Amino acid sequence: MKKLSFMGSATALALAAVAVMVPSSASAAAGPTTRIIERSGCLWTAENWGFEAETHRSAPNDCAGHAWVQIKVNNSWSAWKHDYNEAKLPAPSGQRIQQSRHKTCTDCGAITLNAPS
């Protein structure tokens, strides 16, 4: 009988340890806030990870325009960054991105993404 009691306690302890570990694993696996931008038959992906924001060309690769990204940190917007295929802006060390703006050409309207919570 004591052996069964010990096994029950060990099982309960193991289950409690798993229950404590699940929330931290789930939050670590949280992905970015993402949106697809379509312009003239071309697809672009906009992402805000909280520590980095990026805009990149998805398909097809011969689309006109550049990937543009801008980030907001401490209530202040950065300058725009752009590149042909992919534009990335990391948050300054120890900071978190609040929002990001993404567009696919100089004069295009931008979309705004909030950082994931």
Side-chain angles (χ1 to χ4, degrees):
M1 224 29 167
K2 274 197 179 230
K3 189 173 188 179
L4 289 176
S5 171
F6 171 75
M7 293 290 277
S9 297
T11 302
L13 203 56
L15 288 174
V18 169
V20 169
M21 291 172 34
V22 169
S24 61
S25 305
S27 63
T33 303
T34 303
R35 189 140 154 226
I36 301 297
I37 304 168
E38 190 277 329
R39 183 173 63 83
S40 302
C42 297
L43 299 178
W44 305 75
T45 303
E47 297 176 326
N48 183 335
W49 292 85
F51 59 86
E52 180 179 80
E54 68 180 72
T55 306
H56 61 270
R57 187 182 308 268
S58 295
N61 286 336
D62 61 348
C63 295
H66 277 200
W68 291 76
V69 67
Q70 181 182 44
I71 60 173
K72 183 179 183 182
V73 177
N74 292 326
N75 295 318
S76 182
W77 287 100
S78 71
W80 283 99
K81 180 178 181 181
H82 69 98
D83 195 75
Y84 180 73
N85 279 321
E86 177 179 75
K88 292 182 179 184
L89 277 175
S93 181
Q95 302 293 315
R96 182 161 168 77
I97 295 172
Q98 296 166 295
Q99 293 180 309
S100 57
R101 291 183 183 151
H102 308 262
K103 60 183 185 176
T104 63
C105 67
T106 305
D107 299 328
C108 293
I111 64 156
T112 302
L113 297 178
N114 292 323
S117 42

